[in-house]
Amino acid sequence: MTQSTSEIVARCEALYEDLSFTAAREWKAAKEGRKVIGYMPVYVPRELIHAAGMLPLGIMGGGDNLEVVHGDAYYQSYICRIPRSTIELGISGRLDFVDGMLFPSICDVIRNLSGMWKMLFPDTYSKYFDVPQTYKDEIGGTFYIGEMRELLRDLEQIAGHKISDDEIRNSITVYNANRELVKELYTLRAQVPWQAPASEAYLVIRAGLVLPVEEHNVLLRQYIDAVKAEDRPIKDNSKVVVTGMFCEQPPLNLIKSLELSGCYVVDDDFMLVSRWLIGDVPTEGDPVYNLSQAFLHHSMSTAAKYEPNQEEKGQFLVRAVKESGAEGVIFASTSFCDPALLDRPMLQNVLKEADVPFIAFKYAENSGQMQPIREQAGTFVDSIKLWSAA
Amino acid sequence: MKPSIVKAKPADVLKDASMIKQKEMMAAHYERLTNAPETGEKVASTFVPGNLNELLMCFDLVNNLPEVNAIQSGLRKQSGQYIMEAERAGHSEDVCTYVKSDIGMMMKGNIGPNGKELPKPDVLLLSYTGCFTFLKWFELLREQYKCPTIFLQTPYMADGKVTPNMIQYMVEQFKETVIPTLEEVSGVKFDIDRLREYLKKSAQAEDDLVYILETGKNKPSPIDAYFGGIYYIGPIFGAFRGTDDAIDYYRFLREEVDERIQKGLGPVTPDGPMDEEKYRLVVEGPPNYTSFRQFWKMFYDEGATVVASSYTKVGGTYDYGFRHDPDRPLESLAEYCLGVYTNRSLPMRIDMLSDYINEYEADGLLINSIKSCNSFSAGQLLIMREVEKRTGKPAAFIETDLVDPRYFSAANVKNRLESYFQMVEQKRSGKGAAA
Ligand code: SF4
Ligand code: SF4
């Protein structure tokens, strides 16, 4: 039976709002011995967790619905919000079914959180997952393969069995399909954003952080098909790319507010883990090597990554604007986020050179007041229209 | 041209030989830097944690440390205007103020502490060690200077250990990218024996540094290991590790400290020697530089000496046994970077601070949390509670900034400190009553 977009989106929204992660709990309970490994932004090779027969569970903080009772006691006011809400999720028992946590090397806050997790939850496996910031095969590549092999050994121990290369290859295949579908959705959204608004696409992709990838693949297919089958009214909105939201997630209301104020968000950096690797990872040969190659040579850019080539700095954003047909860029950065906020002026300089208009504001995952953002975005859209009319 | 060897003799001015020596060293270094365009010397900018001074010297490069420049700007009360300048140019009020002080200084003509313009770097050695912000900082500088930028990644010691994969990664980076690019930029061929020579000298000075820092275990402590400690670490964390100057400096300092121990004297403060040691503290976190003296005074006026600190380990944890090793030159540089304080996991930091409290017989822990430094600050509240729990000694938390004067509230800090000292007193009398 085909489902309508609103039915699919409603399901995804329920998953998004469920801070007890019931779907993942149920997955785990359905079969003896199942394990769940949590991970934080921005990227981990989920294929390895999947290959171990486990569920990778994306933890993106607590959003705007979580009441933070304990988390604030762990952080000063001048530190972003995602670590405190993540601690809240942990301390309040919402992650008590999780068998391990991965903290990718994205910034010093997540880095230090990895150590805090060890202190607070000594009985749960946790690992800071280091990735190379140098991209030569024999240097960064070798290091990364070593780190992935170490992770595999840990996962084998948690799973209680070996993980074969064939299992990893199979997982790569399933995730290749997932990446392909996510890409299809992004392309579709860029072409007909009134059909697949960002606030919906966000929820549909976000569902992939808590569902088994196979199920998510089905869901993505259903949503894309449903979008194509429906006709929705075109609005007089302007196409924009939003950037800076790669870690602490914006409240859903913020994305909706941008849309309400006249923006079609046609590209973004939400939940980059779903799109980090660009294109298919080969399934022939050594799968760990293939994952490292994809990471080194075919992966997204973000503020958390070092750009070795000055000429290339920020070009990913210019390309995103061109490819999505956007007319401007919105820098939405988490308050106190050093990576995003230090990167911002450099990216803005690149955009100035490329003649792309932009605005900037800050948010937190629990920002409630959308009026200023709506006004700023609305004015931006008006000025974009004026420029393009001139 | 080689760095000048400054001659201060311990015999003539025993009390101040080290201080004079350091002043002369710093002045000579800044002269060397600002004269570089005339002398033709080439300049490399890099960071204090993961500072590869010995390696830079192998290529006759002059070491410029933007962090130290920011400290200088803070001490000379210029960082405030630099930071505002950077914010006016579009930098966020939320980010690391070292970066903004540096960028603002650059926008205002890049005038160094000697009143002369600092040269443009010929190469940026982005030693990504212990702080993510470094990565963005040098991307920002590269955007301005458009000079070659060498990236060196130090993996994080998340599990409390150095793995062979980490060492191999770093050594490969040295061999394949760092050294070849330094050769190219400088036109000097790499000579590993020259590196060995410098490393040998480093180790010698490091021995004395550790000796000096550990004198904090004496009662009274002859040193202040935080406010005074900042001066003591200057040469070895900066552009002098591996030089004869550093060896001399630490020898003089050691002699002076020994003399203070023999006489039973406490640390020397800007207002002269400290009289009575009432409180012995361990401090975590960097200091505030814009009101450095005022901040320090709040301690010595109350008879509080810092006997050990984590900040004096950001450029190396020598007291944990590490020495630069001429027999394993590249591996040892790798181990050095891996071991610096900010590259240590949170549990390792907790261990270190708890050990300090016990070994230095301190009254408790004081955390100076820096508003704009995620590397240090994220997690400090847990550190505080955990150290308190383990040692049974009271801890306190104050919040300032390194170089942004807007975030130093003297009244707040003083209040906090006063109630902290009361807490220590209560703890003592409570203990007395129980005994
Ligand atoms: S929001 Fe920014 S500063 Fe905070 S954890 Fe994420 S990347 Fe780090
Ligand atoms: S360690 Fe802290 S103060 Fe130093 S550069 Fe990093 S963020 Fe800034």
Side-chain angles (χ1 to χ4, degrees), chain A residues 80 82 106-107 109-110 246-248 334 336-339, chain B residues 374:
Chain A
C80 59
I82 183 170
I106 165 169
C107 77
V109 175
I110 301 271
F246 51 87
C247 181
E248 182 169 317
T334 309
F336 308 109
C337 176
D338 258 35
Chain B
N374 281 343

Side-chain angles (χ1 to χ4, degrees), chain B residues 245-372:
Chain B
D245 275 340
I247 294 178
D248 288 349
Y249 170 78
Y250 288 101
R251 203 185 57 244
F252 295 171
L253 185 60
R254 184 175 171 151
E255 286 167 10
E256 290 160 20
V257 171
D258 270 340
E259 194 182 299
R260 290 213 287 277
I261 296 175
Q262 275 162 21
K263 293 185 179 156
L265 295 174
V268 180
T269 76
D271 289 335
M274 236 176 89
D275 302 334
E276 190 196 352
E277 178 185 279
K278 278 204 240 155
Y279 309 107
R280 297 168 63 81
L281 304 180
V282 170
V283 174
E284 145 75 12
N288 163 273
Y289 284 109
T290 47
S291 302
F292 187 77
R293 289 240 168 149
Q294 193 186 3
F295 193 25
W296 189 354
K297 193 167 159 54
M298 291 178 197
F299 286 72
Y300 62 73
D301 275 355
E302 298 286 337
T305 303
V306 181
V307 290
S309 70
S310 55
Y311 188 59
T312 48
K313 315 296 159 16
V314 288
T317 44
Y318 301 108
D319 57 339
Y320 274 36
F322 171 80
R323 294 290 179 277
H324 283 91
D325 180 357
D327 294 332
R328 303 163 53 251
L330 297 181
E331 289 78 3
S332 138
L333 285 175
E335 283 162 10
Y336 157 73
C337 292
L338 284 157
V340 302
Y341 183 71
T342 42
N343 201 50
R344 290 174 169 251
S345 71
L346 213 93
M348 292 174 91
R349 287 168 63 188
I350 291 171
D351 287 345
M352 181 187 264
L353 293 165
S354 305
D355 288 349
Y356 282 168
I357 292 200
N358 294 329
E359 287 167 16
Y360 288 75
E361 297 183 52
D363 294 301
L365 173 72
L366 180 82
I367 296 183
N368 183 35
S369 185
I370 297 299
K371 184 187 175 285
S372 64

